[in-house]
Amino acid sequence: MKGLFTAKKGVNTDALFCDETADYRNPAEPDAGDIVTMRFRTAHNNIEKVIWVEDDTDVEIEMDLVESTEHFDYYEAKIEVKDKPVRYFFEIRKGSEVCYYNRLGVVDETWSGFSFRITPGFHTPIWAQGALMYQIFVDRFCNGDFSNDVVDREYIYIGQPVERVKNWDDKMSSMDVRRFYGGDIQGIWDKLDYLQSLSVEVLYLSPIFVSPSNHKYDCQDYEHIDPHYGVIVKDEGCTVPEGETTNEHAEKYRVRSAAKENLEASDELFQRFVEEVHKRGMKIILDGVFNHCGSFNKWLDREKVYEKSGESYAKGAYVSADSPYHSFFKFYNENNWPYNGDYEGWWGHNTLPKLNYEKAAGSNEAESLEAYILKIAKKWVSPPFNIDGWRLDVAADLGHTPEYNHEFWKKFRKAVKEANPSALILAEHYGDPSPWLDGSQWDSVMNYDAFMEPVSWFLTGLEKHSDESKQELFGDGEAFFRTMRYSMVRMQTSSLNTAMNELSNHDHSRFLTRTNRTVGRLASKGSAAAGVGINYGLFRAGVVIQMTWPGCPTIYYADEAGVCGWTDPDNRRTYPWGHEDQELVEFHRYITGIHKRIKALRCGSLKELVMKKNLIAYGRFQGDSRAIIAVSTSSEPCLAEIPAWQIGFSDGDFIERIMKTSEKGYNVGAVQYEIHGGILKVEMEPYGAVVLTNAWNL
């Protein structure tokens, strides 16, 4: 066995390892003034010197050999953290041979963008690191209270009357935003036992504040829960008469959405709901849509809901130039009142008025837009509501300049963390998030670039909307790891461990549909085609990766029940209560239990072990807890030969297979494998995956 590590004359680069987890940097999230122990691993008796090097300085520290095992030597150095970020890498020497180690691994040259990084004082919530999340699109999850359902013709939305869908199993329509199935907070409450059976730790709800659409990304009132999701105690007035296309006579909606009795009752229900969630040991995060609001919003009031409500609301900026909210919006024509519709809409949509932070921040009004939003941000993470964090919609779009955008999110972080230090701040973002993840703004992101996209390309050859196919990427293990590697280094490990790792969500096609490897949408292919040609082996393999990769595995509601769907709106189908694919649900219960029980899968180190055509394998390890995961995209059985020694397994050690998946199904019967010559050999099923570990509950 020793020969495996010492036979090479040069540096054994496969043995070199370091990352930003607590095993290799202690403390992992240091504060200014802390003494940090840096640790670096090499093959036993293989190198002469390891040097810790600080980027862009003359500081170099030769590390001390502090521990040796049969396989590895461990070197340590201690540094004192100052009050500024530190970037560093390692220099490894053996004779005339020199190589470097940064977050990409072994490299011949260094670049600061790929260096390890310490940001003093940057802490992400402990509860969120590696937590299992469950995303719920509220209207489509479960109808627990039929009395709060939207009724036909209750109001007009985008020129047409809204519709209550009578049949829970009805398919989506191409213009789906004004169709309501009736899902609500009580429905989620009713299913908490089910969610706990899936080991769910965190609920992420699509927007639940007052809003006229079923998605509610066009907020009408940030200060209250929508009574259609909550409680309607005052219910009077008529619906919109036949033939009308405005909300002049939408009396029932005005009462339901703006009457103080309904708002207070709905807020109280939500408060009790959060208490129940917390009582069960779970957390809850809400969707915050602060870049834009909706044309129904009380600050604008284009639909005159508040002007005609009979309640004591201030006039909206659409209604009057003297509105206290005038500066909250950008009006192109300042001489067009009353009822000025000439305002800026996000991406030109007049139903989504963009919030004008810069003007409001510089106005002389008693309370600016910025102050209002920060107050709202604090309100919901504070007593009596006590939510556990925010998911921020299109967060990089907020404001009109990058400078203000970053300034705002710094203020947002300060306000939220002062109100609730353990609150999670997680943003929707596409592309490089590093400018926002410097420790002063967001905690993390919805992980598109460093999870959803690479997994989708590797397992399906499709991008996340099912709009584009690159079948040369299907099964390309090298491309998978290369893409992951370069995207992951854009985030500090604290952010990676709290990133939302999804296979599907409300904006992209269902992953089960993507396994048909077909480009399509609802309008072009039709609803039924979303379930044609799907590959359950690839689907299960995706879930295995999701539950074993660094970050927060996040199930999009009903994925576990076998629901298909093209991208928005078809991805928002209802949960099929009573018609679930029970085998898939049970599979999810097993694999989420594996994620929960193996410590290394929550915040352990990651090491790439095999990358080739149609096969990848990687290891997760933390302390004595170790796991190996292998995934095959081949249509034929294959043998995976995995260098288990690289994560600490010895010749003669046993490792237990606790999950095997294939196109036909899955198996959780425990099977032991012996390591020979440092190599684990595993027979892989077509379109299959395996999870192996040295011990449960470690």
Side-chain angles (χ1 to χ4, degrees), residues 113-263:
F114 298 135
S115 292
F116 296 102
R117 182 175 180 179
I118 292 175
T119 301
F122 179 35
H123 301 279
T124 58
I126 296 296
W127 63 262
Q129 295 178 15
L132 177 64
M133 299 186 176
Y134 191 92
Q135 179 186 354
I136 297 176
F137 190 85
V138 178
D139 183 61
R140 309 295 162 82
F141 184 64
C142 180
N143 190 342
D145 180 358
F146 291 91
S147 70
N148 62 14
D149 290 0
V150 169
V151 301
D152 289 340
R153 305 197 66 84
E154 185 174 323
Y155 54 99
I156 301 297
Y157 184 72
I158 314 184
Q160 296 291 329
V162 295
E163 171 192 355
R164 177 187 179 187
V165 180
K166 310 302 188 297
N167 180 2
W168 183 257
D169 298 321
D170 269 3
K171 301 300 183 185
M172 305 301 101
S173 71
S174 57
M175 186 58 178
D176 192 65
V177 294
R178 62 173 76 95
R179 301 174 73 243
F180 294 84
Y181 286 73
D184 50 31
I185 291 168
Q186 186 60 54
I188 302 171
W189 196 329
D190 293 344
K191 299 300 181 181
L192 288 179
D193 287 346
Y194 166 74
L195 294 171
Q196 286 195 287
S197 79
L198 291 169
S199 299
V200 170
E201 299 171 272
V202 184
L203 301 180
Y204 156 43
L205 307 187
S206 60
I208 61 173
F209 303 122
V210 184
S211 162
S213 66
N214 57 36
H215 56 69
K216 301 201 180 302
Y217 285 95
D218 50 351
C219 188
Q220 180 174 323
D221 186 345
Y222 292 100
E223 297 182 79
H224 297 288
I225 305 301
D226 195 317
H228 295 92
Y229 283 175
V231 181
I232 295 176
V233 294
K234 183 178 181 180
D235 195 6
E236 58 189 41
C238 64
T239 58
V240 176
E242 290 283 349
E244 285 203 16
T245 58
T246 72
N247 285 306
E248 287 287 335
H249 299 99
E251 296 171 7
K252 178 177 282 288
Y253 183 71
R254 282 196 284 272
V255 171
R256 285 180 148 203
S257 68
K260 298 297 176 66
E261 299 96 318
N262 294 334
L263 300 175

Side-chain angles (χ1 to χ4, degrees), residues 466-490:
S466 295
D467 280 346
E468 183 182 2
S469 172
K470 292 182 181 178
Q471 290 305 310
E472 67 274 13
L473 292 179
F474 172 71
D476 188 334
E478 289 190 7
F480 170 80
F481 277 128
R482 183 174 60 249
T483 304
M484 281 290 202
R485 202 180 307 134
Y486 277 84
S487 295
M488 289 171 75
V489 300
R490 304 299 184 187

Side-chain angles (χ1 to χ4, degrees), residues 513-546:
T513 288
R514 245 175 284 149
T515 67
N516 66 15
R517 301 172 61 191
T518 301
V519 170
R521 288 203 173 208
L522 180 62
S524 60
K525 294 286 188 178
S527 179
V532 174
I534 57 180
N535 185 315
Y536 285 98
L538 293 174
F539 177 76
R540 293 187 188 94
V543 177
V544 167
I545 295 174
Q546 181 183 43

Side-chain angles (χ1 to χ4, degrees), residues 393-604:
D393 188 61
V394 294
D397 285 10
L398 183 140
H400 290 89
T401 65
E403 293 77 16
Y404 179 78
N405 182 277
H406 290 294
E407 177 187 336
F408 175 84
W409 292 123
K410 289 175 182 177
K411 293 177 181 178
F412 185 92
R413 182 181 185 86
K414 183 175 185 293
V416 168
K417 297 290 185 176
E418 285 179 353
N420 183 349
S422 64
L424 178 67
I425 300 173
L426 187 149
E428 176 190 25
H429 186 71
Y430 299 86
D432 181 4
S434 58
W436 292 269
L437 297 179
D438 63 354
S440 68
Q441 297 165 74
W442 311 333
D443 285 320
S444 194
V445 292
M446 300 182 79
N447 204 1
Y448 294 122
D449 286 35
F451 187 78
M452 185 188 280
E453 284 277 44
V455 172
S456 188
W457 288 120
F458 175 68
L459 290 178
T460 74
L462 297 179
E463 58 82 54
K464 55 190 176 294
H465 284 287
S466 295
D467 280 346
E468 183 182 2
S469 172
K470 292 182 181 178
Q471 290 305 310
E472 67 274 13
L473 292 179
F474 172 71
D476 188 334
E478 289 190 7
F480 170 80
F481 277 128
R482 183 174 60 249
T483 304
M484 281 290 202
R485 202 180 307 134
Y486 277 84
S487 295
M488 289 171 75
V489 300
R490 304 299 184 187
M491 292 185 270
Q492 299 179 72
T493 297
S494 295
S495 294
L496 278 172
N497 285 339
T498 50
M500 189 180 283
N501 290 347
E502 294 186 294
L503 296 168
S504 318
N505 64 23
H506 63 293
D507 284 327
H508 306 96
S509 58
R510 294 265 181 180
F511 183 68
L512 185 54
T513 288
R514 245 175 284 149
T515 67
N516 66 15
R517 301 172 61 191
T518 301
V519 170
R521 288 203 173 208
L522 180 62
S524 60
K525 294 286 188 178
S527 179
V532 174
I534 57 180
N535 185 315
Y536 285 98
L538 293 174
F539 177 76
R540 293 187 188 94
V543 177
V544 167
I545 295 174
Q546 181 183 43
M547 295 297 160
T548 59
W549 197 260
C552 297
T554 305
I555 301 171
Y556 183 47
Y557 80 103
D559 264 13
E560 79 277 14
V563 170
C564 295
W566 302 108
T567 198
D568 175 22
D570 199 36
N571 52 17
R572 301 171 182 182
R573 299 184 188 187
T574 54
Y575 188 103
W577 299 109
H579 308 288
E580 304 95 324
D581 184 326
Q582 290 293 352
E583 184 182 31
L584 276 187
V585 172
E586 284 302 310
F587 164 69
H588 276 80
R589 288 194 175 112
Y590 276 110
I591 195 65
T592 57
I594 287 171
H595 171 81
K596 182 177 182 179
R597 292 177 63 184
I598 299 176
K599 182 175 71 173
L601 298 182
R602 193 171 186 101
C603 291

Side-chain angles (χ1 to χ4, degrees), residues 593-594 596-600 624-625 658 693-698:
I594 287 171
K596 182 177 182 179
R597 292 177 63 184
I598 299 176
K599 182 175 71 173
D624 294 330
S625 176
I658 55 176
T693 187
N694 62 323
W696 287 83
N697 297 321
L698 278 179

